[in-house]
Amino acid sequence: MSEVNDSKNENLIIGDDVFVPLLTEEVIQNRIKEMASQISQDYVGKIPIFIGVLNGAFIFLSDLIKNISIDCEIDFFKLSSYGDSKISSGNVRLLKELNCDVNGRDIIIVEDIVDSGLSIKYIEEIFGKHTPSSISVCSLLMKPESIKYNVKIDYIGFKIPSKFVIGYGLDYAQKFRNLRSIYSLSD
Ligand code: IMP
Ligand code: MG
């Protein structure tokens, strides 16, 4: 049986890899409150639809909307790109479509992390086929040194170094999404 304990803010040893604490639960939650307050101000008088990109964004979206003070709706769609690897395959596939009608609505795409920007670019192409009234992008994390596509991220929680990270929704081979803090792979 393997056991991972993230309550002590210590390194995690996973197989041959060492992951070091990057963002604690408290730091993450404080930043999310700031982001939610900014979004609530920016969307006064509107009823935005938060669209989470599964699977990674589910925890972030849940904590974010608990701190949103205006009326809002949520939906999800699902993309696949990483498979079980630490490196993006460079291919994005749509695995679950939206259920809501986005025409004429204010859309806020919610991502766990923007790495190359390919996923966001793909999502923007999907929305290009519809006519929402506005689209913005909100990502908890961004790796500025990894960006390859020209995408605009309206709300960024943290800019982080280009290292593989896990926890708080982010997985490695589908595991470790349940960690409350975020850890990065050490060199
Ligand atoms: P992009 O399309 O290259 O911008 O990658 C975005 C997607 O890849 C994110 O939504 C994540 O699901 C995944 N991803 C990127 N970097 C990491 C990471 O460091 N850990 C886990 N997943 C990641
Ligand atoms: Mg993702």
Side-chain angles (χ1 to χ4, degrees), residues 51-144:
I51 298 183
V53 185
L54 292 172
N55 291 336
F58 80 110
I59 295 183
F60 173 45
L61 177 56
S62 145
D63 284 342
L64 184 72
I65 64 154
K66 281 187 265 181
N67 290 286
I68 292 287
S69 56
I70 55 170
D71 282 349
C72 61
E73 299 175 18
I74 65 158
D75 198 359
F76 292 95
F77 60 51
K78 182 161 179 158
L79 297 181
S80 145
S81 73
Y82 267 46
D84 281 351
S85 150
K86 294 196 204 92
I87 302 157
S88 173
S89 63
N91 293 312
V92 182
R93 282 184 303 138
L94 186 63
L95 300 179
K96 180 203 166 293
E97 295 264 10
L98 284 177
N99 296 116
C100 63
D101 180 4
V102 299
N103 293 312
R105 301 297 306 270
D106 295 293
I107 302 304
I108 303 175
I109 314 255
V110 180
E111 261 283 29
D112 48 358
I113 185 165
V114 176
D115 187 10
S116 69
L118 177 65
S119 304
I120 291 295
K121 195 172 163 286
Y122 181 82
I123 290 163
E124 285 177 345
E125 276 165 21
I126 294 175
F127 280 102
K129 297 181 192 136
H130 302 265
T131 48
S133 147
S134 71
I135 302 181
S136 66
V137 178
C138 172
S139 183
L140 180 65
L141 305 175
M142 182 194 185
K143 296 178 183 167

Side-chain angles (χ1 to χ4, degrees), residues 17 46 62 66 80 91 101 126 153 156 166 168 179:
D17 294 323
K46 297 176 177 163
S62 145
K66 281 187 265 181
S80 145
N91 293 312
D101 180 4
I126 294 175
I153 318 296
I156 300 172
I166 56 168
Y168 197 72
L179 304 178

Side-chain angles (χ1 to χ4, degrees), residues 4 9-22 86 163-167 170-172 175-176 179 182-187:
V4 170
N9 203 25
E10 287 171 359
N11 289 356
L12 298 180
I13 316 286
I14 298 170
D16 294 336
D17 294 323
V18 179
F19 284 84
V20 297
L22 180 70
K86 294 196 204 92
K163 290 185 181 158
F164 190 75
V165 290
I166 56 168
L170 292 138
D171 72 305
Y172 172 36
K175 295 199 189 73
F176 315 112
L179 304 178
I182 294 176
Y183 297 79
S184 85
L185 183 63
S186 88
D187 304 316

